Structure formats: structure tokens, C-alpha cells
Amino acid sequence: MTPLTAVPAAIPTVIPTESTQQAFGYPSLFLLVLIGALVPVVPTGALVSSAAVVAFHQTAPFSLALVFVTASLAAFCGDVGLYWLGRRGMRSKNGSRWLAAIRSRAPEERLAQAQEKLADHGTAVLVLSRLVPAGRVPVMLACLMADWPLRRFARGDLPACLAWALTYQLIGILGGSLFPSRGRASWRRSS
């Protein structure tokens, strides 16, 4: 036995139980996806996919469903919260200046075209924007400029968040199915 192979055997490996993982995992997933919806620099899709991989390899029967519900709810709460903040900011003194500056840079016919597309395909545009990287914030801004009420935005955002969570969860499940679970690891050597 070489000194390098003796090191991993000397380190004790303690894996938390599934209930401990779930007690920390689901609230952490919720908070991270919520923060990622408010601050769009957190890779929330990767978080959901990773959580789906972990849930796929657990023995608890509803792990995948809990990941789906947690991610969807957090994304929805974050989107609605960000939209509410945007609407509130647009009504403020500086917010109206900001809106006027944006409108002055965009040609009037393009704004009218964007508002027409939102009116014709509102929910579909929101769903697509949630699935396209960096598409959510510009569409949310277009909804703000079209003066959508919060209730209308929320009705369109709910299916968008459900589709987003399902898509990234499926990516995680498909990726996770390529790797064996802890108990079935064929690459480990038994001593």
C-alpha cells in the first residue's frame, strides 16, 4: 500500500442521514432559488438540477416532488417579489425618470410591437423567457413598461415557474441517471 492510498482510508467518512439532508436541503434550495430570482446572478437552474440528482438517488418516495414544489414556489415568490419592487420603483420619482430614459432610447414602434406581442402571447412569452438564459429580466421589464398589474403578471408567471422547475429537474434526473447511486457504486473497490 502506498502512502497516497492510505490517506483516504484514514479519513473517517460520515454521511448524514437522508432526513438530515432533507431538513437542510429543501430550505436551502428554497432560499437560494428565491435569492437567485431576486438577484439574477445565482445559477438557480444548476441548483435545481443538482437537487434533483440528489433526490433521484434517495429512497424517500416524494423527494423529487418536494424538489419540484420547493423550486417552483421559490421561483414564483422571487419573481413576484421582484416584479412588485419594480412596480413600486416605477411609481417613485426616480423610477419614473428611469422609465422615461428607457423609453427615450427605444423607438416608439418597437415599444408598441413589444407591448402587442405581450398582449397577444403574454403567458407564452413569460414561459419562454423563464427558460431562456437571461430572458426573464428583459421580459419582466417589458411587462413593467406595459403597465401589467401584479395579478396579471402572477397568472402568467405561475406556469412559467412550473415549466422552469420541471425542465431543470428533468435535466438533473437525466444527468443523475448516468451515475450510480452510493449503494450501487461499481467503481469502489471492496477490501
Side-chain angles (χ1 to χ4, degrees):
M1 186 183 311
T2 65
L4 290 178
T5 57
V7 172
I11 299 173
T13 306
V14 177
I15 299 174
T17 63
E18 282 187 20
S19 60
T20 304
Q21 291 173 1
Q22 291 172 355
F24 288 105
Y26 296 120
S28 298
L29 177 65
F30 182 87
L31 287 174
L32 289 170
V33 171
L34 179 71
I35 291 168
L38 292 171
V39 183
V41 294
V42 177
T44 54
L47 289 169
V48 174
S49 294
S50 300
V53 170
V54 172
F56 179 74
H57 289 295
Q58 289 193 351
T59 58
F62 298 110
S63 294
L64 288 171
L66 285 171
V67 168
F68 174 74
V69 169
T70 303
S72 300
L73 184 63
F76 180 74
C77 290
D79 284 356
V80 168
L82 186 61
Y83 192 77
W84 178 79
L85 288 171
R87 282 188 55 85
R88 186 170 177 192
M90 297 286 262
R91 290 189 201 121
S92 71
K93 184 175 155 185
N94 291 333
S96 56
R97 285 188 208 151
W98 179 71
L99 179 61
I102 290 175
R103 284 195 173 155
S104 69
R105 290 186 183 137
E108 200 60 42
E109 62 272 358
R110 292 291 254 177
L111 285 174
Q113 181 185 17
Q115 290 178 352
E116 181 181 317
K117 294 289 184 189
L118 274 173
D120 292 344
H121 310 288
T123 301
V125 171
L126 284 172
V127 170
L128 186 62
S129 74
R130 197 70 165 91
L131 297 174
V132 173
R136 180 176 60 92
V137 173
V139 170
M140 190 179 290
L141 181 61
C143 291
L144 286 167
M145 291 177 68
D147 204 26
W148 276 23
L150 180 62
R151 182 175 289 175
R152 182 176 181 192
F153 176 79
R155 275 195 314 257
D157 192 51
L158 181 63
C161 291
L162 294 172
W164 171 82
L166 181 65
T167 301
Y168 279 99
Q169 188 169 3
L170 286 174
I171 290 169
I173 291 169
L174 292 174
S177 66
L178 297 175
F179 302 102
S181 68
R182 271 193 320 248
R184 295 179 279 150
S186 59
W187 51 269
R188 289 188 190 170
R189 289 188 180 164
S190 56
S191 304

